[in-house]
Amino acid sequence: MRTTGREVWRHKLAAHPVEVLGSAPQQQRWVDSVFQTMTREQKIGQFFMVATFSNRDEAHYQYIETLVRHYNIGGLIFFQGGPNRQAVLTNRYQAAANIPLLIGIDGEWGLGMRLDSTMDFPKQMTLGALRDTAIVYRMGAEIGRQCKRLGIHINFAPVSDINSNPSNPVIGNRSFGESKENVALKAVAYMKGLQHNHVIATAKHFPGHGDASTDSHLALPTISRSVTQLNDIDLYPFRKLIADSLMGVVTGHLHVPVVDNTPRLAATLSEKVVTELLKKELGFRGLVFTDALNMGGIGKLPAEEVNLRALMAGNDILLYPENVPDAVHKIGSAIDEGKISQELIDEKVKKILRAKYWAGLHKYKPVQLENLNRDLNSSEAQLLKQELCEQAVTLVKNTNNLLPIGPLDTLRLASVSIGTDYGNAFQKMLGRYAPFKQLTYGEKPSSDHSVDEMISQIGDANVVVLSFHRMSPSARWNYGVTSASLNLINRLKQKGVRVVVCAFGPAYALRPFVGTQADAVLCAYEDGEEMQRVVPQIVFGAVPAKGVMPVTIGDWKIGNGLLTASNQRLAYSLPESVGMRSGQLRHIETVIQKAIRDRAFPGCQVLVARKGKVVYDKSFGTLTYNSSERVTDETLYDLASLTKVLGTLQAIMLLNERGAIDLNQKVAYYLTEFQNGNKRNMTVSDVLLHQTGLPAGLSRAIERAKSSGVADYRSVRDSLHTLQVGPNLYASAALRDSIWQWIVRTPLTARMDEDGRYNFVYSDLSFVILQKLVERVSKQPLDTFLNENLYKSLGVSSLCFNPLQCQPGMKIAPTEQDTYFRNSLLQGTVHDQLAALQGGISGHAGLFGDATDIAKILQMNLQRGNYGGHRFLMPGTVPLFVRTQSDRSHRVLGWDKPEVDGNSVYHAAQVSPRSFGHTGFTGNVVWVDPDYDLVFIFLSNRVHPSAGNTLINTQKIRRQLHEIIYQSM
């Protein structure tokens, strides 16, 4: 509704003006003592807050210093630059000031809005999607802490405008939304957070910029509100803020005819707006700032005239003034001419001095440069930013509860990212949860032909996650969504594909997707890396969807947002989210870099998860000592004996709880070839406990197998020689059967205790037997059984035997330079000789993989068989297997347990008695501690180039790392 000529604002006095700048006796004494020393020119100078930059040249810095020394300006507002440079300049300018300066910054979403090397927090429209207002207070408090650390006393935030016009060209996602109640609640929370850290908050842009259709940076917008609309809507947040101790207000460059119909007069220059409405009617007693006086919306008056008129209208501080020397002279002349009284000047100056006292400038201290960057980018602040992103993402559509995505065994997943670059954070994080065909299109599709090509590349995927990046806030450009992109959704649906849309743009950018056939639609509001990492976690249920719409877009109404629950998939966060300290964990890198220098191993991966969150996941070093190729999170490692617990043992647990394998039954019951031999009495549990009399390995048989007289080898694969033993070495498939017969016939050790029971002897043969047991009972090869019953549903894609076949093109860490059998560098063929002679697939060794996928298996075990909303094992299965079962060793069923003497070289002394894990000969360890809800994974290729390298043990490197982790809690 537009205003009518008859509507006039009726001013009335506020019933209870709120004093916010303080009136304590000690404050008044300081104010009076400073005021009494001031000349008229010094008083006038206090009204100016001049714009400055820390990325300019010395001429600029000298100019600012001149204004400070000779014109006694009261403050500075910093714009572009960097924190260390700004700190140095702040100290320089404060040293030049006769009266300490108020330092301000326009940091609506934090220091990163203006400064490099500092943090951006989410914009206010994103915060408008939060259900929890308390976290906005926490953000305000953190921004306040950072401002205070950098010597800043005023933040020109929060934006308190209600964005009632979706086409607003200047406010938009700077507003908390279109609900006056939501805007007020969030603005008050932000304000309190700042001011509780003694940073002055300023609500802007009074009396409300939300209904503008013109950018006030360029021209003067007219706010065509009625009296009722302005009073009930636009002023609502300002009233709430003022009533709750707001200390600053920024007046807007807006023409508001219903309050002051003087043609082309900005509210900034209107006495009716600033003095009558803001100060008298709303009872505001804090500092009133103009918006930047260099903006086009202020008009074309001379700068010195603008400054004077703004002061006369009721503003206290002139922000970003131009031509300060002439403005000082102009204001002095106005006092002489009686246009503005000395009493009013004095009142304003004392108010400014009271604000300086409140901000701590009566005890001014220079900004400390030491550790400044660390303090401004603390782990706690980064965690807060992540929490804000997590809580803001809004699920507006979820047909048949597609999200969070559940079991993965029947899904063929594709990710199509439009408007971004290859290697983006979004697709990287998606890939941590499941194998995706990933397609990236920097150029947005613009034709049917381009859609045809995309459909062809997507192939047979039955679920497509379609993400939109570099979106536009403008309806004119359809928010950066091409018609061809929308056609892609329809084409996919015609093929029966389920489509998840992830919009990395402002809330208004959802409009193109209203009415589309997409099965699920998520609004992420922003396209930063943090948000790109959060959204996949919500897609897969590691993090619940909580956000609500801050505005209405078609059928998706304000306040609406579908909730999802966590399904116990691993999330990714910072150590502080689970009670750990990032600073302590940084010592991990120190230990590892020394180990690499000492040539304990050329490279490694370290992963730490606690309370269901991966909080440390880093790769170090190179693939070899002589290579520049870096280890990455996707590098595959030969897992050696980790195969026992990540593969064979998982299969045994599955078959045991299905009733297919009885732990107390004799192995010979399942493997009839044992019924008449020396192994006829060993039970399944005895085999798992390594107390069967089996020797550690099959060394003599291996030596026999190396002989070409026993095994027929070829350097290339042919129809008969299909068993790959080495990079260029193939044997007949019959060799596998020969190995098994040697195991069946191998003699048992004579080592027994006084009761005639076999002692503990760690034996690879035990798990070769268990492999055969799994295959005989399930009627499937071990690798097939694991893929179909566990790995696919878990989203495990890197774990496999013979990675050169199952993971072609993947980066694999080499193990040994084999000079005594295979005569080549082993890279992608298993290091263990017994496993190699079986074609790389064995129950004791042969798996390759990365830490990400290993973590899923270990976390599932830690969660007693539950992961991703799917129960893989019954709740009692894992506890049964990790319960101490024998008095002959510290081991349990398949797993290793803490060494009782405390002298372990691979686990920390602090591990709980309930913890369990395993090691791998090639330089690996995994360890799970239920008492601390902790998972530790370390992968390396310490056997490169020689297995004789034992520095990893003699230096107790794995133990050192594990102890650092416990010390961080």
Side-chain angles (χ1 to χ4, degrees):
M1 183 175 76
R2 300 184 68 84
T3 182
T4 68
R6 293 190 299 274
E7 284 192 298
V8 179
W9 191 274
R10 306 292 183 183
H11 292 290
K12 54 186 177 181
L13 294 178
H16 302 288
V18 179
E19 296 293 343
V20 293
L21 294 176
S23 57
Q26 60 269 32
Q27 179 189 40
Q28 195 58 50
R29 285 194 295 271
W30 183 83
V31 170
D32 290 342
S33 67
V34 174
F35 181 81
Q36 289 167 8
T37 66
M38 298 173 71
T39 65
R40 187 173 80 169
E41 287 71 22
Q42 288 175 325
K43 294 175 182 178
I44 294 172
Q46 291 300 297
F47 303 140
F48 296 94
M49 181 167 271
V50 175
T52 186
F53 305 77
S54 58
N55 62 353
R56 299 292 177 86
D57 57 14
E58 180 60 24
H60 171 76
Y61 307 146
Q62 289 183 11
Y63 167 71
I64 297 298
E65 190 170 344
T66 298
L67 294 179
V68 172
R69 288 186 183 278
H70 299 295
Y71 292 93
N72 301 286
I73 59 175
L76 295 168
I77 176 171
F78 274 93
F79 285 91
Q80 281 72 29
N84 283 284
R85 288 167 288 164
Q86 179 169 318
V88 170
L89 288 171
T90 295
N91 292 343
R92 173 178 172 177
Y93 298 147
Q94 291 284 20
N98 184 46
I99 299 168
L101 300 162
L102 279 173
I103 303 297
I105 195 165
D106 188 14
E108 295 167 14
W109 50 88
L111 299 180
M113 181 174 173
R114 300 297 176 187
L115 304 178
D116 61 37
S117 309
T118 56
M119 290 186 61
D120 290 322
F121 286 91
K123 296 180 175 63
Q124 289 188 194
M125 185 72 79
T126 309
L127 304 178
L130 300 171
R131 297 176 189 263
D132 178 17
T133 302
I135 196 171
V136 180
Y137 168 84
R138 289 171 53 204
M139 186 200 76
E142 176 56 31
I143 293 174
R145 184 194 68 80
Q146 293 181 17
C147 286
K148 198 171 182 67
R149 178 66 179 86
L150 194 53
I152 295 169
H153 314 105
I154 303 166
N155 186 19
F156 289 96
V159 173
S160 304
D161 305 310
I162 298 162
N163 204 64
S164 50
N165 177 8
S167 299
N168 193 315
V170 65
I171 300 301
N173 62 2
R174 296 168 63 198
S175 165
F176 288 112
E178 67 183 34
S179 161
K180 66 179 186 180
E181 293 84 4
N182 191 35
V183 170
L185 281 171
K186 302 287 171 51
V188 166
Y190 191 172
M191 174 265 292
K192 284 184 172 180
L194 288 171
Q195 293 186 175
H196 286 176
N197 282 272
H198 274 254
V199 172
I200 295 170
T202 60
K204 59 186 187 184
H205 308 79
F206 188 83
H209 208 317
D211 195 36
S213 55
T214 301
D215 185 347
S216 56
H217 293 87
L218 306 175
L220 180 65
T222 296
I223 305 299
S224 300
R225 291 293 212 185
S226 69
V227 170
T228 301
Q229 287 174 323
L230 188 68
N231 191 48
D232 291 351
I233 301 174
D234 298 273
L235 291 179
Y236 181 88
F238 292 98
R239 280 198 177 91
K240 292 293 184 181
L241 286 155
I242 291 168
D244 213 337
S245 73
L246 175 70
M247 299 186 73
V249 168
V250 174
T251 54
H253 299 332
L254 312 162
H255 182 46
V256 190
V258 74
V259 181
D260 190 336
N261 61 8
T262 304
R264 305 296 302 162
L265 181 67
T268 315
L269 306 183
S270 169
E271 184 177 358
K272 291 181 180 179
V273 173
V274 182
T275 298
E276 299 298 325
L277 177 56
L278 175 59
K279 291 185 171 182
K280 292 183 178 180
E281 182 166 341
L282 299 189
F284 181 62
R285 293 292 183 267
L287 290 176
V288 183
F289 299 80
T290 67
D291 205 347
L293 294 177
N294 68 328
M295 292 167 58
I298 200 66
K300 299 186 181 299
L301 293 170
E304 59 272 21
E305 181 68 21
V306 167
N307 290 315
L308 174 61
R309 292 181 63 174
L311 206 60
M312 292 173 64
N315 295 282
D316 300 310
I317 294 183
L318 309 172
L319 191 62
Y320 211 140
E322 296 182 314
N323 199 349
V324 171
D326 285 355
V328 171
H329 177 75
K330 183 78 172 179
I331 293 169
S333 298
I335 297 171
D336 293 336
E337 296 167 7
K339 293 181 180 179
I340 186 169
S341 70
Q342 186 64 51
E343 290 75 17
L344 183 60
I345 295 293
D346 291 348
E347 177 187 325
K348 290 179 180 295
V349 171
K350 288 182 178 180
K351 186 194 291 189
I352 293 169
L353 291 175
R354 282 160 54 209
K356 290 188 175 186
Y357 183 97
W358 182 90
L361 284 170
H362 63 298
K363 294 181 179 179
Y364 165 73
K365 293 181 180 179
V367 179
Q368 296 299 309
L369 301 182
E370 186 177 0
N371 297 323
L372 180 60
N373 281 332
R374 185 194 69 186
D375 294 345
L376 295 179
N377 296 276
S378 69
S379 298
E380 291 79 7
Q382 294 173 46
L383 174 60
L384 174 59
K385 180 178 181 179
Q386 179 177 323
E387 290 175 357
L388 290 163
C389 291
E390 288 176 353
Q391 294 189 31
V393 175
T394 305
L395 179 62
V396 295
K397 185 179 181 182
N398 195 20
T399 305
N400 296 324
N401 293 319
L402 174 59
L403 300 185
I405 292 174
L408 303 168
D409 52 326
T410 63
L411 302 184
R412 299 181 301 279
L413 297 161
S415 164
V416 179
S417 289
I418 296 174
T420 189
D421 300 320
Y422 176 76
N424 60 82
F426 175 70
Q427 290 184 309
K428 282 186 176 180
M429 184 59 78
L430 279 178
R432 290 180 181 269
Y433 286 99
F436 273 83
K437 175 180 285 187
Q438 296 197 338
L439 305 171
T440 307
Y441 301 93
E443 295 294 326
K444 299 177 181 181
S446 57
S447 66
D448 290 342
H449 176 69
S450 57
V451 173
D452 290 340
E453 288 187 343
M454 295 169 80
I455 293 286
S456 174
Q457 291 174 324
I458 290 169
D460 67 346
N462 56 15
V463 175
V464 172
V465 179
L466 184 56
S467 62
F468 291 84
H469 305 264
R470 295 177 188 153
M471 303 183 79
S472 167
S474 173
R476 179 183 178 187
W477 303 107
N478 200 35
Y479 306 100
V481 181
T482 63
S483 57
S485 298
L486 297 175
N487 186 33
L488 174 63
I489 297 174
N490 295 331
R491 291 276 302 278
L492 289 170
K493 290 305 300 176
Q494 289 169 11
K495 292 182 60 180
V497 177
R498 287 174 288 176
V499 178
V500 178
V501 167
C502 300
F504 288 93
Y508 298 110
L510 284 182
R511 192 170 299 281
F513 306 110
V514 175
T516 65
Q517 298 179 55
D519 297 271
V521 179
L522 279 162
C523 183
Y525 300 100
E526 302 183 28
D527 200 12
E529 285 197 4
E530 291 82 2
M531 196 63 89
Q532 289 190 21
R533 287 193 289 266
V534 162
V535 171
Q537 299 184 58
I538 292 174
V539 169
F540 281 95
V543 171
K546 294 182 178 180
V548 297
M549 288 295 293
V551 294
T552 293
I553 306 294
D555 294 334
W556 300 326
K557 304 298 183 184
I558 185 171
N560 288 355
L562 301 173
L563 296 172
T564 61
S566 170
N567 60 12
Q568 291 191 289
R569 277 195 175 101
L570 280 167
Y572 287 78
S573 190
L574 293 165
E576 283 69 19
S577 69
V578 294
M580 301 175 78
R581 290 172 289 133
S582 296
Q584 180 65 27
L585 291 176
R586 278 193 280 271
H587 293 299
I588 288 175
E589 184 167 356
T590 303
V591 172
I592 289 175
Q593 295 299 355
K594 179 180 183 301
I596 291 173
R597 288 195 303 272
D598 292 345
R599 299 176 77 89
F601 44 77
C604 66
Q605 295 176 355
V606 181
L607 185 146
V608 180
R610 189 175 191 222
K611 297 182 179 180
K613 296 179 180 180
V614 175
V615 296
Y616 192 97
D617 184 10
K618 292 187 178 181
S619 297
F620 302 91
T622 53
L623 296 184
T624 70
Y625 295 112
N626 299 320
S627 168
S628 61
E629 189 171 7
R630 305 290 301 178
V631 175
T632 71
D633 295 343
E634 292 79 36
T635 300
L636 301 184
Y637 279 89
D638 184 333
L639 303 181
S641 285
L642 295 188
T643 303
K644 295 180 174 74
V645 294
L646 299 175
T648 310
L649 182 61
Q650 302 299 313
I652 292 290
M653 288 193 290
L654 285 164
L655 292 170
N656 169 246
E657 68 176 30
R658 295 174 187 177
I661 292 177
D662 182 348
L663 298 179
N664 296 316
Q665 183 61 264
K666 294 179 179 178
V667 174
Y669 176 81
Y670 306 100
L671 303 178
T672 56
E673 55 266 53
F674 284 178
Q675 288 180 350
N676 297 316
N678 57 0
K679 303 171 186 65
R680 59 185 178 276
N681 291 320
M682 64 176 59
T683 65
V684 176
S685 60
D686 284 337
V687 176
L688 286 164
L689 290 165
H690 297 279
Q691 50 190 37
T692 60
L694 287 167
L698 205 61
S699 56
R700 290 183 180 178
I702 291 172
E703 290 303 318
R704 289 177 62 197
K706 291 179 184 178
S707 168
S708 59
V710 175
D712 184 21
Y713 295 106
R714 293 289 185 274
S715 60
V716 294
R717 184 192 301 268
D718 59 30
S719 59
L720 294 177
H721 299 83
T722 58
L723 208 65
Q724 186 170 16
V725 178
N728 299 297
L729 194 63
Y730 296 86
S732 166
L735 179 59
R736 186 187 289 117
D737 295 330
S738 298
I739 294 291
W740 176 244
Q741 290 305 316
W742 290 338
I743 292 174
V744 170
R745 296 193 301 268
T746 191
L748 300 180
T749 179
R751 294 170 56 188
M752 294 185 180
D753 63 16
E754 60 186 14
D755 295 324
R757 302 176 304 173
Y758 285 110
N759 289 329
F760 165 80
V761 175
Y762 180 77
S763 173
D764 288 339
L765 303 188
S766 295
F767 275 78
V768 179
I769 291 170
L770 291 172
Q771 173 194 2
K772 184 67 73 171
L773 176 56
V774 168
E775 294 178 338
R776 194 76 58 85
V777 169
S778 69
K779 297 181 173 57
Q780 288 182 302
L782 176 63
D783 55 337
T784 302
F785 179 85
L786 288 169
N787 279 324
E788 294 185 359
N789 289 273
L790 183 64
Y791 292 170
K792 284 183 181 178
S793 293
L794 271 175
V796 167
S797 58
S798 75
L799 245 61
C800 70
F801 298 91
N802 293 320
L804 295 177
Q805 300 170 31
C806 68
Q807 299 279 6
M810 290 296 291
K811 185 184 296 184
I812 303 171
T815 54
E816 193 164 16
Q817 181 68 51
D818 187 343
T819 60
Y820 49 89
F821 176 25
R822 289 165 280 187
N823 297 310
S824 61
L825 176 66
L826 304 179
Q827 189 170 16
T829 53
V830 64
H831 176 261
D832 184 273
Q833 295 181 41
L834 179 56
L837 292 170
Q838 297 176 82
I841 302 175
S842 183
H844 76 291
L847 271 180
F848 286 71
D850 60 34
T852 297
D853 278 346
I854 293 172
K856 297 172 188 175
I857 296 174
L858 297 179
Q859 189 67 27
M860 182 270 287
N861 280 256
L862 179 59
Q863 293 170 177
R864 298 190 173 193
N866 192 28
Y867 192 85
H870 179 73
R871 180 155 291 287
F872 292 89
L873 295 169
M874 298 302 292
T877 298
V878 174
L880 170 67
F881 276 73
V882 299
R883 191 182 306 137
T884 302
Q885 298 285 325
S886 173
D887 58 359
R888 282 173 268 175
S889 79
H890 64 281
R891 288 194 173 243
V892 289
L893 296 175
W895 294 102
D896 194 3
K897 293 284 280 184
E899 294 191 11
V900 293
D901 60 7
N903 292 324
S904 170
V905 300
Y906 52 83
H907 70 68
Q910 300 96 318
V911 298
S912 75
R914 294 203 306 141
S915 69
F916 55 94
H918 212 280
T919 58
F921 181 79
T922 48
N924 313 313
V925 65
V926 298
W927 209 265
V928 178
D929 196 332
D931 285 6
Y932 291 91
D933 206 352
L934 183 68
V935 171
F936 168 54
I937 301 168
F938 175 86
L939 306 179
S940 76
N941 54 338
R942 69 96 191 164
V943 295
H944 177 80
S946 169
N949 179 6
T950 60
L951 284 176
I952 196 171
N953 290 332
T954 57
Q955 295 186 3
K956 298 186 177 181
I957 293 166
R958 291 171 292 185
R959 174 172 176 153
Q960 288 185 62
L961 299 176
H962 208 194
E963 289 182 340
I964 289 170
I965 293 164
Y966 278 90
Q967 291 161 6
S968 76
M969 292 186 281

